[in-house]
Amino acid sequence: VVARARSRAPPRAVIAPRAPPASTAALPRGRVRLSLGTPTRSMMTSTPNHRRSNATAIRASADPPAGSDTTYAPWRDPTRLGLLALWLGLGSVAAFVAPKGTADFDAGLVTTLVSAPFSGAVNPIFEALFNSLGVVPAVYAALLLPGAKDQPRIPTVPPLAASFALGFFALGPYLIAREPRTEPTARSSLGWATRTIFESKIFAGANAAFAAFLIAYGAANFTSDAATGFVAMWREQSALACVSSCDLAVLSIAMYGAVAEDMRRRGCHDGVKAAAFCAVPVLGPCVYLLTRPSLPE
């Protein structure tokens, strides 16, 4: 009876759904605009992922590539490995090539050089060479001190000061380990000695004049006897003469890197000119100091 009554009941009125607004009619199924100013369901679900992907991309662009190192590593620079080879070679000359048992002769040689300079009492070739070892460290000081700030491994002043007595034995480790400083440097940021003395054209001119005098002195007194005497000193009589001549040669070879870096720092780098200045030992780098541009104030 109940089933028959239900079958005879009139059908319920069906209410037609309201048509969606024109702005949402074109939206795909599942993307319903809730109200004005309210983000859609797809926006609510995709925005966090989008932000996470943006953050990941920003971090990837800010971080250095895997395996890279922004810190300068001297052992990865072939020029620094070359300097290391020169330093080891100079030590090998002092240990295995230089004459042995010449301490007394060398002491008398130094005494004569100091007490009677350019008097002819010492071989003129060696005297010019020995005095050149006082000019070259001064040139290195003028080249390296503008880039001496914040050197992380070895401070600049101690090896430079020691090089006046020990040459490349003291300066070599610093040249090998130091970081290049090629960015422009303001003159006002330098220390007093660097700004007043080593950047001075008077200082450069004095070194150039003394270097020219040494070359002229050696050339004016160059004879076959002087050459033979110097060879004998180098081979048999004086370890000082042997090591000093090799030291000057190594310092002159290593000079190119310091000159090239100083050129970059001043915005006038030219590899050919740097090589030309260094091709004339002692005098060439002095001429560069005399002609190089001044640092900006």
Side-chain angles (χ1 to χ4, degrees):
V1 175
V2 174
R4 187 180 300 170
R6 288 181 178 175
S7 62
R8 292 179 181 178
R12 294 181 181 179
V14 178
I15 301 175
R18 296 177 60 184
S23 59
T24 60
L27 291 176
R29 180 177 298 177
R31 300 187 180 184
V32 180
R33 188 180 301 277
L34 301 179
S35 64
L36 184 62
T38 304
T40 62
R41 186 182 303 172
S42 62
M43 292 176 61
M44 294 175 65
T45 57
S46 62
T47 299
N49 293 333
H50 182 66
R51 289 177 179 173
R52 282 195 294 269
S53 62
N54 284 346
T56 304
I58 293 172
R59 285 194 299 268
S61 62
D63 294 340
S68 65
D69 188 1
T70 57
T71 305
Y72 177 75
W75 55 88
R76 297 176 183 172
D77 189 341
T79 60
R80 301 305 175 89
L81 298 179
L83 292 177
L84 177 60
L86 288 174
W87 188 73
L88 294 175
L90 183 62
S92 299
V93 169
F96 304 112
V97 178
K100 305 297 188 294
T102 65
D104 293 338
F105 181 86
D106 290 337
L109 195 62
V110 172
T111 301
T112 305
L113 287 169
V114 174
S115 61
F118 307 107
S119 62
V122 178
N123 184 281
I125 300 175
F126 173 71
E127 188 163 14
L129 182 151
F130 184 81
N131 282 278
S132 297
L133 290 173
V135 177
V136 173
V139 174
Y140 268 108
L143 294 172
L144 298 176
L145 285 175
K149 187 177 180 180
D150 299 329
Q151 284 293 336
R153 298 178 181 88
I154 303 176
T156 305
V157 175
L160 275 176
S163 66
F164 282 90
L166 301 175
F168 197 74
F169 288 103
L171 191 60
Y174 172 74
L175 293 178
I176 295 167
R178 72 184 297 272
E179 287 190 355
R181 293 286 189 267
T182 57
E183 63 275 6
T185 304
R187 186 185 180 98
S188 58
S189 66
L190 304 178
W192 180 88
T194 304
R195 183 177 64 253
T196 307
I197 299 175
F198 296 105
E199 285 289 316
S200 170
K201 296 302 181 183
I202 297 175
F203 174 82
N207 279 281
F210 188 52
F213 166 76
L214 293 175
I215 293 175
Y217 177 80
N221 294 277
F222 185 86
T223 61
S224 58
D225 291 339
T228 302
F230 177 73
V231 172
M233 290 176 64
W234 201 95
R235 290 181 175 178
E236 303 171 358
Q237 299 175 350
S238 174
L240 179 64
C242 177
V243 176
S244 296
S245 57
C246 294
D247 190 19
L248 181 62
V250 171
L251 286 168
S252 300
I253 294 171
M255 184 73 72
Y256 174 82
V259 171
E261 180 182 320
D262 190 72
M263 283 184 166
R264 290 188 178 95
R265 189 183 300 119
R266 296 167 194 271
C268 61
H269 178 256
D270 187 329
V272 175
K273 289 184 178 180
F277 282 122
C278 298
V280 182
V282 189
L283 181 60
C286 292
V287 174
Y288 167 71
L289 294 183
L290 197 59
T291 59
R292 67 180 179 176
S294 299
L295 291 172
E297 294 294 337

